[in-house]
Amino acid sequence: MNIKKYTLDKTLLLKFQGALMGTFTGDALGMPFEGLSAGKIARGFGRIEDMVEARLGAGTYTDDTEMMIGLAEILAEHGHVQPQALAGRLVYNFNGDRGYGGGSLKVLRALKEGVPWDQAPKAAFAEGSMGNGAAMRIAPVGVLNHHDLEQLEKEAEISAKVTHTHPLGVEGAKLQALAVGLAAKEDSKERVDSARFLEELKIYTKETSFNNALNCADRLLARYHDPETIANELGNEVTALRSVPASIYCFLKFNGDFKKSVSEAVSLGGDTDTIGAMTGALAGAHLGVNAIPAEWLDALENGEKGRDYVMELGRRLYKIWEQ
Ligand code: F2R
Ligand code: MG
Ligand code: MG
């Protein structure tokens, strides 16, 4: 049990909102570049520092944020992950224009047809999905349980298993949730000690492949490497193993600077919306929502479940934590 309550409640509220809005912002910034290589992004666009036009408009979100909203809603209503309710909410919130992963599409279809939540993930892959879909939405679990890392792990696992049951899909979600929780516990006015942060993550991470990737991130952080090298070494793909460690790297490389961390994440190419979303969640949990550039926040969609709604979800989660 690892309990650390904050006395600066305002700071913690901003961290809750930062984790959720960081997911949203990174997702929206990266989405227009999803599938492009690091080299193509560098040559064609340079550094990505503005919300550019996208399929649903500049500043719009994808499946990453839509699923994160569903998870945050369930936590705000129940105080914990209720898997049946989560399955129902993911189906209810589903918008096919948001660009879901093929496996998740099949799972959500099965759930809609009435397959029980603990059977539906088999609709995608017999051995379960190892995609990053469970990790990309996990920020609410990380901030809400940052004071109790054992509980955080349990909550991350159950939330992942509604769609992703492959050990690598589950472990990736747990690792990202832990990283969000640890980031929330760091002092927002201080830089994070990268080596210590990675060591702490490794205590909890059981899968050798993830531990190897965290060791690799540690080595890479020692000096500058271009985004193409980072993408080759740590990955920029849609699997959890080849995207969660890359996001942790981007957060730590430019830690203390939300804009640089998330811009670096998008520059890796490949799964840019998701690596952007996961990096944004980490930087937002550490620095708080006020660290997100105002011009990025202003550009975010603000319809029925848009910017104001997600900010309010962050506040509701914080109230649950306070209780
Ligand atoms: N799907 C996308 N992007 C491409 C389409 C967007 C397009 N640009 C558009 O505009 O419409 N992005 C979203 O999907 C990723 C999250 O995926 P998720 O939810 O984990 O889905 P899935 O299908 O379960 O896993 C992703 C892929 O990983 C491979 N894979 C997973 N498990 C596997 C297994 N057991 N064996 C073999 N391969 C496995 C497959 O290739 C899956 O399709 C995010 O990027 C999100 O933004
Ligand atoms: Mg997406
Ligand atoms: Mg993606």
Side-chain angles (χ1 to χ4, degrees), residues 3 44 57 83 95 104 140 150 168 178 191 243:
I3 296 182
N95 173 352
S104 285
E150 283 170 24
L168 292 177
L178 275 166
R191 279 181 63 86
S243 57

Side-chain angles (χ1 to χ4, degrees), residues 28-29 32-33 47-53 259 263 295-296:
L29 190 80
F33 307 96
R47 205 76 183 161
I48 308 301
E49 294 187 335
D50 298 301
M51 295 281 174
V52 302
E53 205 44 56
K259 186 172 184 176
S263 182
E295 66 274 19
W296 286 3

Side-chain angles (χ1 to χ4, degrees), residues 32-278:
F33 307 96
E34 196 178 11
L36 299 182
S37 68
K40 269 200 174 146
I41 292 174
R43 287 190 296 277
F45 305 94
R47 205 76 183 161
I48 308 301
E49 294 187 335
D50 298 301
M51 295 281 174
V52 302
E53 205 44 56
R55 193 176 62 255
L56 299 178
T60 52
Y61 61 75
T62 79
D63 56 334
D64 304 49
T65 303
E66 187 157 270
M67 289 183 131
M68 183 277 290
I69 289 171
L71 179 52
E73 287 172 343
I74 293 304
L75 289 171
E77 288 161 24
H78 297 262
H80 63 274
V81 180
Q82 213 292 337
Q84 188 63 50
L86 175 60
R89 191 59 54 90
L90 295 179
V91 170
Y92 180 81
N93 284 351
F94 174 77
N95 173 352
D97 293 333
R98 300 276 188 196
Y100 278 70
S104 285
L105 279 175
K106 288 183 188 161
V107 177
L108 294 181
R109 204 171 299 132
L111 288 168
K112 194 172 179 191
E113 286 165 1
V115 177
W117 72 268
D118 55 351
Q119 297 299 314
K122 289 185 198 139
F125 300 95
E127 70 282 29
S129 172
M130 58 174 100
N132 54 20
M136 71 193 185
R137 65 175 183 243
I138 205 86
V141 170
V143 280
L144 186 61
N145 297 285
H146 71 277
H147 59 285
D148 183 345
L149 300 184
E150 283 170 24
Q151 175 71 3
L152 181 152
E153 282 204 299
K154 284 185 197 144
E155 288 282 284
E157 181 164 344
I158 193 78
S159 84
K161 284 184 170 171
V162 170
T163 50
H164 290 64
T165 49
H166 191 290
L168 292 177
V170 176
E171 198 63 23
K174 284 165 71 175
L175 176 59
Q176 173 68 10
L178 275 166
V180 168
L182 292 180
K185 282 157 62 118
E186 295 283 341
D187 186 338
S188 57
K189 292 182 202 68
E190 302 281 339
R191 279 181 63 86
V192 176
D193 179 332
S194 299
R196 174 180 51 74
F197 192 86
L198 290 168
E199 277 310 312
E200 197 159 356
L201 282 178
K202 281 190 279 176
I203 293 170
Y204 288 90
T205 310
K206 310 286 181 303
E207 283 282 343
T208 312
S209 46
F210 277 100
N211 263 318
N212 290 342
L214 293 176
N215 285 331
C216 179
D218 201 9
R219 282 195 302 279
L220 292 167
L221 282 165
R223 65 180 182 85
Y224 174 79
H225 298 281
D226 63 17
E228 211 158 351
T229 305
I230 301 304
N232 287 335
E233 295 285 331
L234 293 175
N236 65 2
E237 290 107 81
V238 291
T239 58
L241 179 59
R242 297 284 291 169
S243 57
V244 173
S247 303
I248 294 168
Y249 166 90
C250 292
F251 160 58
L252 292 172
K253 182 70 189 174
F254 294 102
N255 94 58
D257 190 326
F258 184 95
K259 186 172 184 176
K260 282 188 179 163
S261 281
V262 176
S263 182
E264 174 77 1
V266 176
S267 76
L268 299 190
D271 198 359
T272 48
D273 64 330
T274 302
I275 300 175
M278 294 192 293

Side-chain angles (χ1 to χ4, degrees), residues 301-320:
E301 67 171 290
N302 200 18
E304 195 191 347
K305 290 194 179 180
R307 183 180 61 226
D308 294 347
Y309 182 78
V310 175
M311 280 292 280
E312 177 60 15
L313 264 180
R315 197 193 61 80
R316 284 172 65 197
L317 279 188
Y318 173 72
K319 288 284 164 199
I320 295 272

